[in-house]
């Protein structure tokens, strides 16, 4: 198997195969995804019991329309969630937790998102990047003991990573200065969009530490009772009404050194699992809500088409309606598949994992949010004015108050949360895809000269159309690698290629489409061709649409793009030209230059 040894690649794990890493390098490792993993029956039953009690609590305590209208979570909800153990989903029972697997914690967040997105977001942030999340990965020591004490005490945790000047800055705008001979650090700076900001007793804050070897980004677990930490503003979003996102200011906030953890990739501190957990958290924070909205849209589509007519014909009898519903069926199946692949087999200790899923965890965010957006947008069109109308308005006039408009707002937010979609594609292409090609990979000769090996695919339990999709995917994987290899040879200096951001974004999108097609086909083969468990039709629907998207991406990659975007954009942003394009517009925006 080819390797990607370049230090720019932060997700490569020596000796542990990765399906998506192999895909980047032109290797279609069907053996890694088939047989497709299935949740253990006993584990699922354990999740079923927790899910039933959790659903009853939400129905009793949370009116989602009221939360959306009043922009606040109901009084007493946090205490009720804590009493039921839902703020410690994966924490060990000895810490007061439910000890759920990653898959069952995902199911809880997904159920919450189907009822109230702010509740789901609260649980996702707390459960996947809060104090309890890294405990299993940390060795015994002061950090483990300190975080364990906060979990045992029932503290809600928040996450503060975004600086007011922009996200993903390295170094961060917030700084951490060592004091007391390195026994503690003083944090100074500010953070925006802090998850669970007003509820948290402990917040994970990223900050830059200036050391003798240079600047390094660390995560500090900050006690919100520190007088130097203040909430300076409350964020209100287009969606997530009632979610406690806050702006924070930090002035000489003292954090003991034992509550500092590593953050940067390639860090040699004894916390190598922390970065994996942060990336994996997107599966719960984004994929779970995306799947919830997709499933709701399926329900709403059936409900609406069952009672509507056009020209005396049932709406569901029209060909275009049938195509729209079928497309949603295929995409919900794909979202389910993505979640299962990203989580099943990931609950064991690091030294017992047989596959490296870090690449898939990063890819899952954009795959899920883009798929969800297509589903919700399609459903909005299907329901027409009734979809655009708010649930409150429909309830007032006695119509079925389907909250499609609210789902539309929430779905748009998923494309922004945990990394804006296009920027995440750009980063994944630079570090993930091209990280496999600088320096040139060991299998470069095979990429160039060897055809795609599809002989191992003949025993896949798929219908002929799906076998065709599978062979197409294998050939496309090889074509993808040849394109990447040609690009890096044309640009021996990686910075030259990194400047072509639009190209890199589209390349990463091709890889994502090939990944999800592969997973859908592997799961479908596992289910077989016959019987009630068969998903052949769903795979055919999804893969046919994915192939059209891939064809479109290749056309855009191979056709030379207009080159005037830089000059036109610079002239407009500087206020030098085309001022009449915004004439007769009333706006509160400050005046532009020029």
């Amino acid at each position: 198997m080819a390797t990607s040894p370049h230090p720019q690649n932060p997700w490569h794990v020596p000796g542990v195969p990765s399906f998506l890493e192999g895909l980047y390098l032109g290797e279609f490792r069907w053996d890694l995804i088939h047989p497709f993993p299935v949740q253990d029956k006993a584990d699922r039953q354990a999740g079923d019991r927790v899910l039933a009690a959790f659903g009853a609590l939400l129905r009793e305590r949370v009116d989602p329309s009221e939360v959306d209208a009043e922009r606040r979570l109901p009084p007493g909800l946090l205490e009720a969630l804590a009493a039921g153990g839902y703020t410690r989903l994966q924490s060990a029972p000895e810490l007061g937790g439910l000890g759920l697997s990653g898959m069952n914690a995902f199911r809880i967040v997904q159920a919450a998102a189907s009822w109230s997105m702010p509740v789901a977001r609260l649980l996702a942030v707390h459960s996947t990047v809060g104090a309890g999340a890294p405990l299993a990965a940390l060795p015994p020591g002061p950090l483990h003991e300190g975080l364990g004490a906060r979990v045992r005490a029932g503290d809600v945790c928040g996450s503060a990573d975004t600086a007011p000047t922009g996200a993903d800055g390295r170094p961060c705008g917030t700084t951490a200065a060592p004091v007391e001979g390195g026994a503690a650090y003083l944090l100074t700076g500010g953070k925006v969009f802090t998850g669970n900001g007003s509820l948290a007793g402990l917040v994970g804050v990223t900050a830059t530490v200036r050391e003798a070897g240079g600047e390094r980004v660390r995560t500090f677990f900050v006690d919100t009772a520190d007088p130097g930490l203040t909430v300076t503003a409350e964020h209100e979003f287009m969606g997530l009404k009632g979610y406690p996102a806050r702006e924070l200011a930090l002035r000489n906030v003292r954090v003991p050194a034992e509550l500092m953890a590593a953050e940067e990739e390639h860090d040699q501190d004894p916390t190598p699992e922390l970065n994996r957990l942060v990336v994996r958290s997107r599966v719960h924070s984004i994929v779970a809500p995306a799947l919830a909205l997709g499933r709701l849209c399926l329900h709403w589509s059936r409900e609406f088409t069952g009672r509507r007519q056009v020209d005396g014909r049932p709406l569901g009898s029209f060909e275009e309606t049938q195509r729209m519903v079928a497309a949603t069926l295929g995409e919900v199946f794909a979202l389910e598949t993505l979640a299962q692949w990203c989580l099943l087999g990931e609950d064991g200790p690091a030294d017992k994992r047989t596959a490296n899923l870090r690449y898939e965890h990063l890819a899952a965010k954009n795959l899920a949010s883009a798929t969800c957006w297509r589903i919700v947008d399609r459903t909005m069109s299907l329901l027409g004015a009734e979809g655009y109308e708010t649930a409150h308005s429909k309830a007032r006039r006695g119509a079925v108050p389907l909250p499609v408009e609210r789902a539309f707002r929430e779905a748009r937010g998923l494309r922004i949360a945990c990394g804006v979609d296009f920027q995440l594609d750009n980063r994944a292409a630079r570090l993930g895809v091209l990280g496999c090609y600088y320096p040139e990979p060991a299998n470069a000769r095979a990429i160039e000269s060897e055809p795609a090996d599809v002989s191992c695919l003949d025993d896949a339990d798929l219908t002929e159309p799906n076998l065709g999709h599978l062979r197409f995917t294998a050939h496309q994987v090889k074509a993808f690698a040849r394109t990447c290899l040609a690009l890096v040879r044309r640009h021996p200096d990686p910075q030259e290629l990194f400047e072509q951001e639009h190209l890199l974004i589209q390349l990463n999108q091709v890889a994502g489409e090939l990944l999800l097609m592969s997973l859908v086909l592997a799961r479908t083969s596992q289910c077989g061709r016959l019987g009630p468990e068969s998903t052949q039709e769903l795979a055919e629907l999804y893969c046919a649409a994915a192939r059209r998207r891939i064809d479109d991406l290749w056309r855009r990659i191979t056709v030379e793009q207009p080159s005037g975007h830089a000059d036109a954009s610079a002239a407009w942003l500087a206020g030098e030209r085309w001022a009449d394009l915004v004439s007769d517009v009333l706006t509160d925006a400050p005046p532009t230059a020029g």
Side-chain angles (χ1 to χ4, degrees):
M1 178 181 174
T3 60
S4 50
H6 196 271
Q8 283 197 72
N9 193 321
W11 304 297
H12 175 71
V13 180
V16 183
S18 162
F19 178 79
L20 186 51
E21 182 181 24
L23 186 155
Y24 292 156
L25 288 161
E27 298 176 342
F28 189 69
R29 292 290 306 276
W30 179 249
D31 60 301
L32 292 180
I33 59 175
H34 187 270
F36 196 78
V38 178
Q39 186 177 14
D40 176 77
K41 183 178 180 180
D43 184 55
R44 184 163 186 86
Q45 289 174 342
D48 289 342
R49 292 189 289 271
V50 177
L51 196 59
F54 178 68
L57 183 149
L58 285 186
R59 291 180 181 277
E60 177 187 348
R61 291 273 187 168
V62 180
D63 180 335
S65 294
E66 184 175 312
V67 169
D68 191 61
E70 299 294 328
R71 297 173 172 81
R72 63 180 179 85
L73 295 174
L77 174 64
L78 188 60
E79 292 76 10
L81 291 171
Y86 305 116
T87 55
R88 285 168 282 195
L89 293 174
Q90 293 185 261
S91 297
E94 56 266 28
L95 295 175
L98 297 177
L100 295 182
S101 64
M103 191 71 226
N104 281 334
F106 175 94
R107 295 173 65 199
I108 293 292
V109 175
Q110 190 266 166
S114 69
W115 191 251
S116 174
M117 194 65 74
V119 176
R121 183 71 177 164
L122 186 158
L123 292 177
V125 169
H126 173 71
S127 299
T128 61
V129 293
L135 282 179
L138 290 173
L143 180 58
H144 189 284
E145 293 170 7
L147 295 184
R150 301 306 290 257
V151 173
R152 203 175 286 111
D155 284 343
V156 170
C157 295
S159 176
D161 185 44
T162 305
T165 53
D168 242 355
R170 296 293 186 266
C172 294
T174 299
T175 59
V179 294
E180 303 168 26
Y185 290 83
L186 293 182
L187 271 62
T188 300
K191 296 291 184 179
V192 292
F193 312 129
T194 302
N196 297 345
S198 61
L199 299 179
L202 195 71
V203 177
V205 178
T206 52
T208 298
V209 180
R210 294 184 173 91
E211 300 173 323
E215 296 180 336
R216 303 176 76 92
V217 174
R218 306 290 194 185
T219 294
F220 294 83
F221 291 94
V222 177
D223 190 326
T224 58
D226 190 292
L229 188 150
T230 55
V231 175
T232 53
E234 174 181 341
H235 295 296
E236 182 178 337
F237 301 119
M238 174 177 158
L240 283 177
K241 303 297 186 182
Y243 177 64
R246 300 294 185 265
E247 180 183 64
L248 303 181
L250 301 95
R251 292 188 178 181
N252 293 325
V253 175
R254 183 185 181 278
V255 183
E258 58 265 25
L259 291 181
M260 177 185 73
E263 169 69 13
E264 283 188 339
E265 298 91 350
H266 323 302
D267 210 309
Q268 298 303 309
D269 280 24
T271 51
E273 287 285 279
L274 288 182
N275 185 260
R276 184 190 70 85
L277 291 171
V278 170
V279 176
R280 187 195 190 206
S281 70
R282 292 181 171 98
V283 180
H284 293 79
S285 297
I286 303 298
V287 184
L291 178 56
L293 293 177
R295 285 172 164 164
L296 285 171
C297 285
L298 271 181
H299 172 75
W300 296 334
S301 297
R302 181 164 57 186
E303 192 281 335
F304 183 76
T305 57
R307 60 180 167 83
R308 294 290 291 218
Q309 294 189 343
V310 176
D311 297 330
R313 282 179 59 184
L315 182 59
S317 68
F318 287 86
E319 186 211 22
E320 189 59 22
T321 300
Q322 294 165 354
R323 287 182 178 273
M324 295 170 78
V325 172
T328 298
L329 279 166
E331 290 184 326
V332 170
F333 176 70
L335 286 173
E336 280 186 352
T337 303
L338 181 64
Q340 290 181 24
W341 173 249
C342 285
L343 292 173
L344 295 177
E346 274 285 294
D347 290 318
D351 59 352
K352 293 186 179 179
R353 295 194 187 107
T354 57
N356 170 19
L357 268 63
R358 298 185 185 192
Y359 297 89
E360 283 91 329
H361 290 160
L362 184 68
K365 188 274 176 183
N366 273 0
L367 284 172
S369 60
T371 302
C372 176
W373 179 248
R374 290 195 301 268
I375 291 171
V376 177
D377 186 52
R378 182 186 304 123
T379 305
M380 174 75 77
S381 294
L382 180 63
L383 271 66
E386 190 172 313
Y388 190 60
E389 185 181 13
T390 67
H392 298 289
S393 174
K394 284 180 276 197
R396 282 198 303 267
R397 63 184 182 85
V400 181
L402 303 179
V404 182
E405 172 266 343
R406 187 165 73 233
F408 190 87
R409 291 186 274 121
E410 306 295 11
R412 192 61 186 85
L414 294 180
R415 293 178 58 188
I416 296 169
C418 300
V420 178
D421 46 11
F422 73 93
Q423 288 287 28
L424 201 60
D425 273 325
N426 186 26
R427 181 170 183 263
R430 290 167 59 133
L431 295 179
V433 180
L434 297 183
C436 296
Y437 285 87
Y438 288 109
E440 190 169 289
N443 71 329
R445 186 183 297 273
I447 291 174
E448 285 183 297
S449 60
E450 294 181 8
D453 181 10
V454 296
S455 60
C456 63
L457 310 180
D458 292 338
D459 62 347
D461 198 1
L462 295 170
T463 59
E464 196 54 45
N466 280 329
L467 278 173
H469 292 316
L470 188 59
R471 296 186 188 102
F472 167 86
T473 306
H475 287 292
Q476 284 291 298
V477 166
K478 183 67 75 171
F480 177 84
R482 287 172 178 159
T483 299
C484 293
L485 185 61
L487 283 170
V488 299
R489 286 178 171 175
R490 200 178 307 147
H491 302 280
D493 179 359
Q495 195 57 43
E496 292 180 3
L497 193 51
F498 290 171
E499 291 297 321
Q500 299 185 45
E501 295 177 344
H502 195 59
L503 170 64
L504 300 189
I505 289 167
Q506 291 170 332
L507 271 178
N508 196 64
Q509 289 171 350
V510 170
E513 294 284 3
L514 293 173
L515 166 66
L516 197 43
M517 278 186 71
S518 304
L519 298 179
V520 162
L521 291 166
R523 181 184 174 194
T524 295
S525 179
Q526 182 78 3
C527 294
R529 280 182 287 182
L530 302 173
E533 302 299 319
S534 175
T535 58
Q536 301 285 339
E537 298 94 334
L538 299 179
E540 289 180 24
L541 289 167
Y542 180 79
C543 290
R547 287 178 68 161
R548 290 191 290 272
R549 290 191 295 272
I550 291 170
D551 288 344
D552 181 60
L553 285 166
W554 280 127
R555 278 193 295 271
R556 286 188 276 156
I557 288 170
T558 55
V559 174
E560 186 174 353
Q561 300 294 318
S563 59
H565 57 275
D567 291 341
S569 175
W572 166 253
L573 293 177
E576 297 171 354
R577 299 185 65 187
W578 308 303
D580 58 319
L581 288 178
V582 292
S583 62
D584 302 330
V585 170
L586 304 179
T587 176
D588 291 329
T592 57

